[in-house]
Amino acid sequence: GDSVTQMEGPVTLSEEAFLTINCTYTATGYPSLFWYVQYPGEGLQLLLKATKADDKGSNKGFEATYRKETTSFHLEKGSVQVSDSAVYFCAPLANAGGTSYGKLTFGQGTILTVHP
Amino acid sequence: GAVVSQHPSWVICKSGTSVKIECRSLDFQATTMFWYRQFPKQSLMLMATSNEGSKATYEQGVEKDKFLINHASLTLSTLTVTSAHPEDSSFYICSARGGLAANEQFFGPGTRLTVL
């Protein structure tokens, strides 16, 4: 089945630092790729997505590029804020047929803490 | 658009009792709903997939008699934890798929279940 490997956390940064959270995946076919963010005590919110190779998803200063050749979807932000402190999940969405179709596979999550 | 609600947001119950959690798509018709379980500081684990009007499909290792899922309408799915025990304490999150974003899942805010 599909699998996701995310950079282990926790990640602790100072405000305005550069952020990278690595994500690589294995999947059958050509998945869509998502990053979700979870703030403390809340459900998941979609942060950004990309549906085909070389697409760049972006939102709130975060970016990630769909790299088919390296099966990666690394999340980056040039200058983090305290309010970015949350858990970040990388998740491919299976688009091929079979029992995994339409299902998200979540990485283990990366806890980000940003200090003032 | 694409708002998913869950009710209750938290519940505390005694061991042996049953608890029902509702998941509603507020502004779109959800042909498919998903139920996830999340343990503290861990990733989301897919429990089951339900399509409106048909029986839910459970993931391997999930007891279907313990976690009853009903998807009676295009806007409502329910998860009933039967004869709950302390090890069932967890954060339960639903997601819904449907409408114009055919392959994207929209997540509810989650329900915190504590079994005493």
Side-chain angles (χ1 to χ4, degrees):
Chain A
D2 295 1
S3 66
V4 181
T5 301
Q6 265 183 250
M7 182 170 112
E8 284 194 27
V11 174
T12 303
L13 295 172
S14 297
E15 208 165 23
E16 299 184 3
F18 183 85
L19 168 71
T20 300
I21 301 178
N22 290 337
C23 170
T24 57
Y25 65 91
T26 59
T28 303
Y30 213 144
S32 297
L33 301 175
F34 296 81
W35 275 100
Y36 287 91
V37 59
Q38 186 178 32
Y39 297 101
E42 299 184 13
L44 269 67
Q45 298 177 26
L46 176 64
L47 180 60
L48 54 83
K49 65 179 180 180
T51 58
K52 60 182 187 294
D54 301 325
D55 263 5
K56 178 185 285 187
S58 61
N59 185 27
K60 299 180 181 179
F62 291 89
E63 293 183 339
T65 301
Y66 191 143
R67 300 290 187 199
K68 187 171 186 292
E69 64 278 9
T70 55
T71 61
S72 64
F73 194 52
H74 304 321
L75 182 68
E76 296 182 336
K77 185 173 185 180
S79 176
V80 294
Q81 305 301 312
V82 172
S83 58
D84 294 327
S85 298
V87 183
Y88 292 81
F89 292 95
C90 178
L93 176 71
N95 286 327
T99 57
S100 296
Y101 177 75
K103 294 181 181 177
L104 285 164
T105 300
F106 285 90
Q108 69 269 33
T110 301
I111 300 172
L112 171 66
T113 302
V114 180
H115 292 297
Chain B
V3 178
V4 176
S5 70
Q6 278 185 243
H7 178 80
S9 55
W10 59 270
V11 57
I12 302 173
C13 69
K14 292 183 178 179
S15 189
T17 60
S18 294
V19 174
K20 180 184 285 187
I21 302 169
E22 293 185 349
C23 177
R24 292 182 186 272
S25 57
L26 299 185
D27 51 3
F28 67 102
Q29 293 186 325
T31 50
T32 304
M33 286 185 170
F34 301 85
W35 286 96
Y36 296 85
R37 183 173 180 178
Q38 186 181 30
F39 292 100
K41 297 185 179 181
Q42 293 190 27
S43 189
L44 278 75
M45 180 191 78
L46 179 63
M47 299 173 66
T49 304
S50 73
N51 293 298
E52 185 264 338
S54 60
K55 288 184 179 180
T57 302
Y58 290 81
E59 296 298 305
Q60 194 170 9
V62 178
E63 299 176 63
K64 61 181 180 181
D65 293 331
K66 179 163 189 64
F67 299 100
L68 301 178
I69 292 171
N70 183 280
H71 191 166
S73 78
L74 284 171
T75 59
L76 173 65
S77 176
T78 60
L79 167 68
T80 301
V81 183
T82 62
S83 186
H85 288 93
E87 58 265 30
D88 299 324
S89 298
S90 194
F91 194 50
Y92 292 89
I93 303 175
C94 74
S95 70
R97 181 178 72 197
L100 295 177
N103 211 19
E104 187 172 333
Q105 293 183 29
F106 300 95
F107 285 81
T111 297
R112 173 76 59 194
L113 170 62
T114 302
V115 184
L116 302 177

